[in-house]
Amino acid sequence: MCGMQNDLKRLREEVLGTDVCTACGTCVNLCPNIISIEDRIAVLADCQIASGNCYRYCPRTIPDPRIAEALCGDVGYGGPVGNYSNYLIARSRLSGKHSFFQYGGTVTALLVEAMRQGLIDYAVVTKAVGNFPHPAIVKNEEEIISAGGSKYALSPTNKEVNRACTAGSGKIGVVALPCQATGLRKKQLQPREDGVEKASVSLIIGLFCTWALSQAGWRALLNRHVGSRFVKAMDIPPPPANIMVIDVGGERKTIPLDEVGKHVRPGCKVCLDMTAENADISIGMVEGKAGWNTVITRTEQGASMLESAVGAGIIETGSLDQKAWDHLREASLNKKEQALKEAEARAKRLPYYERIIKLGKKIRDEDKNGTER
Amino acid sequence: MELSADRILLMGNEAIARGALEGGAAYATGYPGNPSSEIVETMFGYQREHGIRVEWSANEIIALEAAAAFAFSGLRAIVTMKQNGMNVASDFLTTVSLNELKGGLVLVVCDDPGPMTSTNEQDSRHFAKIAQVPLLEPFTASEAKEMMRWLLVFSEQMGIPCILRSVSRLSHGRGAVKLGPVPSQEIKPSFDIEKPLVGLPFLVTPNHAHLLKKMKEVQTTFDKSPFNEYTGPNDANFIIMATGLGALYAREAVNMLHLEQQIGILKIGTIWPPPSHLIRAYLKQAKDVLFVEEIDPFLEDQVKVLYAEHASKLGAVSFYGKNTGDIYGPSGPGVGEMNTDIVLDALGRIFNKEISACASPYEDARKQASILLVPREVAFCDGCPHRASFLAIKAALELDGRKGFVVGDIGCYGLGAGPTGFNQIKALHCMGSGMGNACGFSQMASFGFNQPVVAVIGDSTFFHAGLPALINAAFNKADGLFIVLDNAVTAMTGFQVNPASPFTATGKATRPVLAEDIARSVGAKITVLDPIEDIQESIHAVYAALQEEGLRFLVFRRPCATFEKKTRAAEEILKARIDPESCIGEICGCNRFCSRVLACPSIQYDKDKDRAFINEDTCNGCGLCVQLCPRQAISLVNIQKEGRSA
Amino acid sequence: MGINIIITGVGGQGNVLAAKLLATAGLEAGWEVTVGDVFGLTQRGGSVASHVRLFKGYLLPPLIPCRSLDILVAFEPLEALRILTQFGRETTRAIINDQPVWPIGVQAGRFQYPEAQELHSAIENLTSKTAFINATRVAKELGNIQVLNMVMLGALYGSGWIPLSPRTFESIIQSSTSSQLRGLNIKAFRRGLKLKGSNLHI
Ligand SMILES: Cc1cc2nc3c(=O)[nH]c(=O)nc-3n(C[C@H](O)[C@H](O)[C@H](O)COP(=O)(O)OP(=O)(O)OC[C@H]3O[C@@H](n4cnc5c(N)ncnc54)[C@H](O)[C@@H]3O)c2cc1C
Ligand code: SF4
Ligand code: SF4
């Protein structure tokens, strides 16, 4: 029995413990056997269950053909930025207590509106504890707002989603990086059959993402440049700046991206998804327009959520100019190209690489033909 | 041997303790270790009535040194240890033997052939030769008592420390023992400052010569000792020379093969120095000699030396022993425990005799049945804190991902090398070896070694042998993570107290020595926590320690569950209980995590009902499983309260 | 002449005390006795076996040779089989508490505990007479699983296979077991004695 192939074994061989894993956390807290601290995921013992949810939900495994159709990003190709219904710019009009947003605060405002409308009962966001990201289940506006601002190191958001799904009942909104959004979508498409989850994810707000740091790497950068001082905010200004900016209570530290790049998680370097193609709504920065967000609506859910927030006056919108849109698509394709090159270059052949390389043929063809460009 | 009404059944170790009492011991100490521990434990029982001072020492050499102080001052003392402890004590033994003792001093060492609880299979008799001290080896509980009594007096007479060697099977076996009188203690101890006992180099040679001279006298005494006994035909020319239990195995085998008329057995109880006149006499009579002894061919070697020295006056003799490969168990000569079957086989080969088997259908059934046998591996007890500690360590090492590993040493937690401890310990040798190894591993960084190393050590072992390693680590700036698994008793050897215990062996409250207090004083970073209380926190603590550098010292402190059960107040008896409604059996993705992975002996899985359940008879209510069930199906209930309200 | 008895079980089931009391009874009845025991590591849930030898004549070692077992008293059926495969012979008789205690490896799913049917017939093939009893139930009915060993010894005495008197044994329980358990131990022993009539088919 022990020698038999099973999903945990496959997950370990193909993803977990390889340079493919993104520490999204989708496989954690489904059972007591996969655990995590910071962005490290580990397995305690072998498992005899032939087909397991850990493998089914992981964004980097071979998807069940029945759901593959419905997925973009790392799983399928739906154009340079995936399937979408609309793109625009937006910013929050939340007023009141002091709050900090990364750019326009659209993410925070959307969550707040979803909670006010009763469309979600909890949200899973990423808080800063000290200078490190921690996923957290939050239940009110204040907590949502206090989680504003980007933390550029990875933390396994989806493990808290899994916990929220079994701990209570109701609907959950999640702020997810692209890989996390893919994991969540896979889970949504193949719900658990054991009936233990009483709550479910009903809103996935995706963040744009080019890469994220490992927490050990982030710690190394902090040690080198910041020491034990508290990081108020951080940002990666668009090219050609080529720096990471860290705001330590008024003082601005800049770190060259070359140095930062050394601490990017290896899993990010083979990621095809910059715009969270499997989210309900995806949000990032707007080049050259500080204080605003680029927003891509993808699903009915995402679009109506935005509409409702605009209606409530929490969010104001504008249109994204064509140049910026083209630029975004170019950047997104560029990430895909980089990832493909990296996957081709890696010595160890893993099923994930084979899969995206196959996908890559389609991407490159379309890229050459300049479809939609 | 005549039966008499005043014989009682005693364990070998109890008999040795009784011998110490009858031999007038004023002090007994040692370090617990299977199979020796019950000697000192029995002595505790004599303490009050007979005014003997009894205590557990922090390690064997300290025990021997403390006992020697009694002997320096004219009182008799005994020290007990297992064979590994002999190595620890030997540094002092080999120097103190060069001095004249005023009182009797006997060191009891219990060897563990075919180890049942040891990390080696050492034959401690060699130490008698190294230190040049007399050594006796008994063959029954009764003789063990008698030898102990006699040795205390003899040691005092000769002024030399003496050794009594036992083995597991004798120490833990039981036999009839006739009790003798207990002398009264009248001597007032004093140390004669006019006769310093110092081992300065210029004194060593004369003292050594003096010792060897005394050993000649010992040999003369041994030649006439009643501890050596010949049984069998007076003119037998096939002689078995046997020591200890070997004499009994030999007798049973000889009689089973009906060779009583052809074979004589010379049982030798005085092993060092060997009774050379006696042996020579039987070498003269013999044409063939078979040796039966535990572990090494110790007697065999000595007899061959004697034979060589006197060959011209002796006839031709064929020797059958371990060196010659004539007597061996399933693993070969000189390894494993001796028994009657091994002697039977050896005699069968020498005398060309068939060893009777059962009829073939029976032997076939035996073979068939063997296939059904599944091993019964030892496991941490129900509620053992070590289970949680090793789970935390394993989880943290897996999370850390740098192929870190655990080095450890001797104690219950040594089971951490097996499945019950998630196979975590990767190097395990002797007391304190893990911490010492860790010091070395941490010095290999400049060669590119980058695997994190965790050294685990028990509370008792920490005081026994971990302290020097801690200090060495601090001094040499070792980059180590030391984890003390402090359960407040020396559990493996039978729950003896140690410096971490809140009370002494006699039950008096005492201030426990806290390992972290010592570690703090050498500048280690300290974390102390209960491994079970919050397992996630335990995992985080180990993980966090792994990410740091320098000397890190983590104490997992929680009382030994089995010991606590024996002593716990009765108002709260917690048991874990699984709600069969919440447990969903096989469809739960946990894959029977509680019974299969956690593998607490109290948690079982009922295949028919497809539910896990807890055996409340054995559950210790530690609550570890409660925290890990993904369905929150397990809860702790106070059955005492339930009983009362019902 | 003599009787070779092995009391086997799982660490913690109380075989050591049982062996000690049985040997004491033998000694009082005028036999020469020896007990072979090992404790320590094996007590942590491992297999345990005490060799009890009652004999007259020359001294015997504490270990029973292979194929020399007269009577087996097993607190657990798998352990019974383990002993029989090494020490059993055609004339061996056995009293077995037919209540499996799963080895940790079985619990963890690494090994399979033999099916009851298979186990029983393997045991019967290696004995001349075997009584399977449920001493665990009796001990539980008495309210303390710790007295399992006394129930088993009761059954041994009840079998009539050993030349020792139950009356003397009760006085040994009186004088050598802890005061809290004394009364219960005697009750357990008596319940064991009576098991003869009901489910001890000898
Ligand atoms: C690792 C990382 C890389 C990114 N890379 C890009 C990029 O290349 N291009 C781009 O346009 N935008 C990128 N973004 C997104 C961008 O930084 C903003 O998060 C986004 O524009 C939303 O802005 P906002 O003002 O609406 O956010 P806010 O209203 O401030 O809300 C920020 C939200 O992000 C969540 N969050 C913070 N850190 C993390 C994290 N590590 N993991 C998951 N969730 C987190 C918080 O829970 C909070 O809800 C990245 C974000 C992250 C965390
Ligand atoms: S990518 Fe996510 S789901 Fe897959 S193994 Fe890594 S943490 Fe688990
Ligand atoms: S780059 Fe891809 S894999 Fe890395 S954090 Fe972003 S979305 Fe996840």
Side-chain angles (χ1 to χ4, degrees):
Chain A
M1 191 157 208
C2 303
M4 244 166 64
Q5 194 59 337
N6 60 56
D7 268 358
L8 180 62
K9 225 166 146 184
R10 286 165 67 200
L11 185 72
R12 294 175 89 171
E13 279 161 14
E14 297 176 14
V15 188
L16 231 181
T18 75
D19 282 348
V20 166
C21 171
T22 76
C24 66
T26 318
C27 59
V28 184
N29 284 346
L30 293 168
C31 73
N33 202 16
I34 305 185
I35 54 168
S36 76
I37 290 184
E38 299 176 340
D39 60 342
R40 309 208 62 99
I41 320 286
V43 174
L44 283 178
D46 54 9
C47 172
Q48 300 163 336
I49 295 178
S51 79
N53 291 326
C54 54
Y55 189 87
R56 289 206 300 166
Y57 299 162
C58 169
R60 299 251 147 132
T61 54
I62 300 162
D64 188 316
R66 281 169 296 189
I67 61 156
E69 278 289 279
L71 295 164
C72 302
D74 290 341
V75 186
Y77 185 62
V81 294
N83 299 327
Y84 63 92
S85 56
N86 196 6
Y87 55 89
L88 63 158
I89 60 169
R91 69 176 171 192
S92 150
R93 296 190 59 189
L94 276 177
S95 53
K97 257 187 246 140
H98 169 78
S99 48
F100 171 79
F101 306 129
Q102 188 65 21
Y103 300 123
T106 309
V107 169
T108 301
L110 275 175
L111 271 188
V112 166
E113 175 62 11
M115 198 166 272
R116 283 183 188 171
Q117 296 286 321
L119 294 173
I120 60 171
D121 302 291
Y122 326 92
V124 175
V125 295
T126 302
K127 286 184 173 175
V129 176
N131 287 336
F132 289 84
H134 275 260
I137 303 171
V138 294
K139 297 182 179 152
N140 57 49
E141 284 179 24
E142 257 160 69
E143 282 182 293
I144 293 173
I145 292 167
S146 73
S150 299
K151 297 96 194 165
Y152 287 104
L154 248 162
S155 80
T157 299
N158 290 357
K159 76 168 182 184
E160 285 307 301
V161 177
N162 286 337
R163 205 162 65 86
C165 284
T166 51
S169 56
K171 295 189 185 118
I172 306 166
V174 187
V175 183
L177 292 170
C179 52
Q180 294 163 346
T182 304
L184 292 175
R185 190 64 85 199
K186 282 178 90 173
K187 185 174 175 187
Q188 238 178 17
L189 293 168
Q190 322 164 86
R192 278 176 78 163
E193 282 148 9
D194 50 16
V196 303
E197 293 195 340
K198 300 282 181 267
S200 61
V201 172
S202 63
L203 177 65
I204 306 170
I205 302 176
L207 301 179
F208 291 4
C209 174
T210 314
W211 46 254
L213 297 171
S214 74
Q215 291 205 22
W218 173 232
R219 184 176 289 114
L221 289 175
L222 285 175
N223 287 345
R224 230 174 289 144
H225 298 278
V226 178
S228 57
R229 279 193 281 173
F230 180 66
V231 174
K232 262 183 77 179
M234 54 187 117
D235 189 22
I236 297 159
N242 244 341
I243 48 165
M244 177 182 226
V245 183
I246 300 181
D247 175 357
V248 232
E251 196 187 338
R252 263 170 51 105
K253 298 260 176 195
T254 60
I255 310 175
L257 275 192
D258 280 348
E259 185 187 341
V260 175
K262 290 193 186 108
H263 301 294
V264 167
R265 274 191 68 103
C268 294
K269 294 188 178 154
V270 287
C271 173
L272 296 179
D273 190 354
M274 192 189 95
T275 59
E277 296 175 24
N278 295 312
D280 290 310
I281 182 167
S282 304
I283 298 169
M285 63 152 74
V286 190
E287 263 178 47
K289 206 168 160 87
W292 285 82
N293 290 111
T294 302
V295 178
I296 302 175
T297 59
R298 300 185 186 277
T299 65
E300 188 67 29
Q301 181 83 343
S304 68
M305 201 54 254
L306 181 66
E307 213 170 284
S308 142
V310 173
I314 289 192
I315 281 178
E316 66 177 297
T317 56
S319 58
L320 181 68
D321 70 61
Q322 192 59 35
K323 222 177 104 202
W325 177 239
D326 286 344
H327 206 185
L328 178 66
R329 285 153 39 100
E330 201 181 315
S332 181
L333 271 175
N334 190 35
K335 175 169 174 176
K336 292 182 197 287
E337 181 55 36
Q338 291 303 322
L340 289 170
K341 278 194 186 141
E342 175 71 22
E344 284 159 350
R346 285 193 181 170
K348 189 170 178 185
R349 300 320 300 167
L350 291 169
Y352 175 76
Y353 301 146
E354 307 301 341
R355 190 159 63 73
I356 62 169
I357 287 166
K358 219 188 266 167
L359 212 56
K361 292 207 178 81
K362 214 167 148 192
I363 299 170
R364 282 169 172 156
D365 282 351
E366 291 206 24
D367 192 19
K368 248 183 260 145
N369 300 339
T371 336
E372 276 203 279
R373 277 185 85 180
Chain B
M1 212 187 266
E2 267 304 293
L3 279 174
S4 68
D6 53 354
R7 291 202 310 158
I8 59 166
L9 188 75
L10 287 185
M11 192 198 300
N13 281 343
E14 292 169 343
I16 292 170
R18 176 72 200 185
L21 179 68
E22 294 179 9
Y27 181 58
T29 188
Y31 183 80
N34 275 316
S36 70
S37 314
E38 296 81 8
I39 305 170
V40 165
E41 274 167 7
T42 306
M43 298 295 293
F44 276 118
Y46 301 149
Q47 189 164 232
R48 187 169 305 159
E49 189 186 342
H50 300 283
I52 301 174
R53 175 104 202 124
V54 187
E55 60 194 17
W56 283 122
S57 294
N59 68 27
E60 293 85 355
I61 189 166
I62 290 165
L64 182 59
E65 288 157 351
F70 278 70
F72 291 163
S73 313
L75 292 179
R76 293 178 191 163
I78 71 154
V79 193
T80 73
M81 60 199 64
K82 68 182 295 175
Q83 82 278 11
N84 306 78
M86 189 76 204
N87 306 331
V88 179
S90 64
D91 197 6
F92 184 69
L93 180 69
T94 53
T95 48
V96 75
S97 62
L98 295 169
N99 288 126
E100 193 92 21
L101 300 177
K102 231 164 96 183
L105 176 61
V106 177
L107 186 160
V108 187
V109 59
C110 301
D111 284 357
D112 192 12
M116 283 153 260
T117 47
S118 304
T119 51
N120 74 12
E121 199 174 9
Q122 160 186 316
D123 190 330
S124 298
R125 294 179 296 180
H126 297 286
F127 282 95
K129 198 172 165 185
I130 296 171
Q132 282 303 327
V133 296
L135 181 144
L136 300 189
E137 187 180 353
F139 80 138
T140 60
S142 169
E143 193 182 56
K145 189 210 78 167
E146 197 42 34
M147 281 184 172
M148 182 75 229
R149 189 197 62 75
W150 184 84
L151 269 182
L152 271 171
V153 180
F154 184 66
S155 160
E156 188 163 302
Q157 266 169 19
M158 300 304 299
I160 324 177
C162 296
I163 301 177
L164 182 71
R165 185 232 195 179
S166 179
V167 293
S168 309
R169 199 62 69 176
L170 183 78
S171 277
H172 284 166
R174 289 170 207 272
V177 176
K178 187 175 169 183
L179 304 189
V182 179
S184 53
Q185 295 279 0
E186 272 142 22
I187 300 152
K188 181 177 177 293
S190 68
F191 186 88
D192 188 350
I193 54 175
E194 301 302 326
K195 287 188 188 154
L197 304 169
V198 290
L200 291 176
F202 66 93
L203 292 170
V204 168
T205 311
N207 285 352
H208 194 183
H210 183 60
L211 173 63
L212 294 184
K213 214 176 105 217
K214 282 195 291 183
M215 286 301 279
K216 283 266 180 271
E217 286 173 48
V218 173
Q219 190 180 312
T220 316
T221 308
F222 281 6
D223 266 327
K224 292 175 292 216
S225 171
F227 297 131
N228 306 318
E229 190 185 4
Y230 177 82
T231 50
N234 281 335
D235 56 351
N237 48 29
F238 192 103
I239 290 177
I240 297 180
M241 295 195 183
T243 74
L245 291 176
L248 296 177
Y249 298 132
R251 173 51 65 206
E252 183 167 37
V254 165
N255 290 20
M256 280 171 85
L257 292 173
H258 309 295
L259 291 168
E260 304 94 310
Q261 297 314 315
Q262 293 165 61
I263 300 179
I265 299 175
L266 178 62
K267 175 218 145 209
I268 294 179
T270 65
I271 306 298
W272 190 263
S276 54
H277 281 93
L278 180 78
I279 292 172
R280 259 153 59 201
Y282 285 97
L283 283 177
K284 203 160 187 174
Q285 171 183 330
K287 288 206 171 63
D288 300 281
V289 173
L290 169 68
F291 298 97
V292 182
E293 55 188 326
E294 290 286 13
I295 317 183
D296 290 344
F298 186 82
L299 177 72
E300 180 179 338
D301 288 348
Q302 298 315 319
V303 170
K304 287 175 178 172
V305 169
L306 274 171
Y307 181 80
E309 284 170 1
H310 302 274
S312 60
K313 284 169 242 142
L314 299 168
V317 178
S318 300
F319 292 109
Y320 305 92
K322 287 173 176 165
N323 287 324
T324 56
D326 287 302
I327 183 160
Y328 52 84
S331 313
V335 286
E337 193 185 10
M338 184 53 66
N339 60 40
T340 302
D341 296 297
I342 294 175
V343 187
L344 273 174
D345 286 345
L347 288 175
R349 282 187 296 268
I350 297 165
F351 284 82
N352 221 345
K353 279 207 167 209
E354 194 73 28
I355 308 296
S356 64
C358 299
S360 70
Y362 192 93
E363 292 303 332
D364 290 345
R366 196 195 303 279
K367 259 188 226 123
Q368 279 301 312
S370 310
I371 301 166
L372 296 180
L373 293 178
V374 288
R376 196 176 285 281
E377 301 150 309
V378 287
F380 289 138
C381 303
D382 320 74
C384 176
H386 298 328
R387 180 174 290 102
S389 299
F390 280 104
L391 185 67
I393 293 169
K394 173 176 170 96
L397 285 172
E398 292 282 350
L399 287 163
D400 178 84
R402 287 176 289 170
K403 290 202 160 44
F405 58 97
V406 181
V407 291
D409 54 30
I410 323 282
C412 279
Y413 55 96
L415 294 181
T420 188
F422 314 101
N423 305 304
Q424 287 303 288
I425 298 183
K426 304 297 183 192
L428 183 159
H429 297 90
C430 67
M431 297 290 281
S433 62
M435 282 180 71
N437 288 160
C439 289
F441 280 119
S442 89
Q443 304 298 2
M444 284 193 288
S446 62
F447 298 92
F449 185 84
N450 57 7
Q451 293 165 270
V453 178
V454 177
V456 294
I457 190 163
D459 43 346
S460 188
T461 312
F462 176 70
F463 296 116
H464 177 291
L467 281 173
L470 173 71
I471 294 174
N472 179 66
F475 170 64
N476 285 318
K477 299 223 162 298
D479 196 18
L481 170 54
F482 298 144
I483 300 186
V484 176
L485 304 170
D486 179 357
N487 60 5
V489 287
T490 311
M492 173 57 90
T493 52
F495 312 108
Q496 292 80 7
V497 293
N498 68 49
S501 311
F503 42 83
T504 67
T506 48
K508 280 199 202 109
T510 181
R511 181 174 174 272
V513 182
L514 299 179
E516 65 270 27
D517 289 349
I518 299 168
R520 195 174 287 116
S521 71
V522 299
K525 279 175 235 161
I526 315 281
T527 313
V528 182
L529 75 175
D530 177 332
I532 297 182
E533 193 157 290
D534 181 345
I535 184 68
Q536 299 304 335
E537 198 187 325
S538 300
I539 296 171
H540 275 85
V542 180
Y543 180 82
L546 282 170
Q547 309 318 308
E548 286 182 47
E549 284 171 1
L551 185 53
R552 290 143 290 154
F553 198 83
L554 198 157
V555 179
F556 273 135
R557 174 167 295 134
R558 186 183 173 100
C560 162
T562 298
F563 181 67
E564 242 231 330
K565 186 157 78 177
K566 290 178 194 277
T567 51
R568 177 173 42 210
E571 66 264 12
E572 195 182 66
I573 299 178
L574 293 178
K575 300 283 176 186
R577 201 170 275 171
I578 297 182
D579 172 13
E581 304 282 301
S582 304
C583 173
I584 54 175
E586 285 287 15
I587 63 162
C588 180
C590 78
N591 192 212
R592 293 181 277 113
F593 192 82
C594 58
S595 63
R596 190 182 65 90
V597 179
L598 203 53
C600 168
S602 289
I603 314 177
Q604 291 193 13
Y605 171 72
D606 182 334
K607 234 193 204 139
D608 300 332
K609 296 199 183 112
D610 186 27
R611 290 291 178 272
F613 70 97
I614 285 174
N615 180 353
E616 288 189 18
D617 296 331
T618 53
C619 167
N620 258 326
C622 76
L624 179 62
C625 57
V626 174
Q627 300 170 55
L628 290 163
C629 171
R631 304 282 306 124
Q632 281 91 43
I634 317 181
S635 54
L636 283 181
V637 289
N638 183 351
I639 56 161
Q640 197 67 355
K641 223 167 162 184
E642 272 188 352
R644 233 179 273 141
S645 58
Chain C
M1 75 172 278
I3 308 170
N4 291 333
I5 305 167
I6 292 181
I7 304 180
T8 187
V10 177
Q13 281 187 320
N15 68 307
V16 172
L17 178 67
K20 178 179 152 182
L21 297 188
L22 184 61
T24 306
L27 189 67
E28 293 211 350
W31 291 83
E32 195 62 45
V33 299
T34 171
V35 181
D37 245 326
V38 161
F39 25 105
L41 200 61
T42 45
Q43 282 171 309
R44 308 289 179 274
S47 308
V48 286
S50 307
H51 293 208
V52 180
R53 312 187 76 175
L54 311 181
F55 56 95
K56 298 206 161 128
Y58 64 92
L59 285 177
L60 289 180
L63 267 181
I64 295 170
C66 293
R67 301 182 176 87
S68 304
L69 181 60
D70 296 309
I71 299 166
L72 172 65
V73 180
F75 297 2
E76 204 275 349
L78 177 67
E79 294 317 308
L81 190 67
R82 200 185 305 284
I83 293 297
L84 288 170
T85 55
Q86 194 182 350
F87 298 98
R89 57 177 165 190
E90 284 101 335
T91 53
T92 306
R93 291 175 286 184
I95 296 173
I96 295 166
N97 179 33
D98 197 18
Q99 296 297 301
V101 176
W102 276 11
I104 202 82
V106 169
Q107 200 171 308
R110 281 180 285 117
F111 300 107
Q112 192 104 41
Y113 196 92
E115 294 294 333
Q117 196 52 46
E118 248 181 333
L119 188 56
H120 288 177
S121 66
I123 288 172
E124 276 161 356
N125 287 341
L126 293 176
T127 49
S128 62
K129 280 177 185 164
T130 294
F132 290 104
I133 60 175
N134 189 342
T136 303
R137 198 187 54 215
V138 177
K140 277 194 181 164
E141 280 167 12
L142 290 169
N144 193 337
I145 188 74
Q146 265 183 285
V147 300
L148 171 72
N149 52 0
M150 296 301 135
V151 181
M152 290 302 292
L153 284 181
L156 172 66
Y157 271 83
S159 71
W161 295 345
I162 51 168
L164 299 174
S165 125
R167 179 97 38 94
T168 335
F169 193 76
E170 288 189 12
S171 71
I172 290 169
I173 295 181
Q174 276 293 354
S175 58
S176 10
T177 69
S178 77
S179 55
Q180 305 113 284
L181 277 183
R182 206 169 282 160
L184 203 59
N185 276 338
I186 290 185
K187 257 195 210 156
F189 179 72
R190 289 186 182 159
R191 288 283 303 270
L193 268 177
K194 282 201 220 110
L195 274 175
K196 184 188 182 183
S198 50
N199 41 359
L200 192 68
H201 354 273
I202 295 166

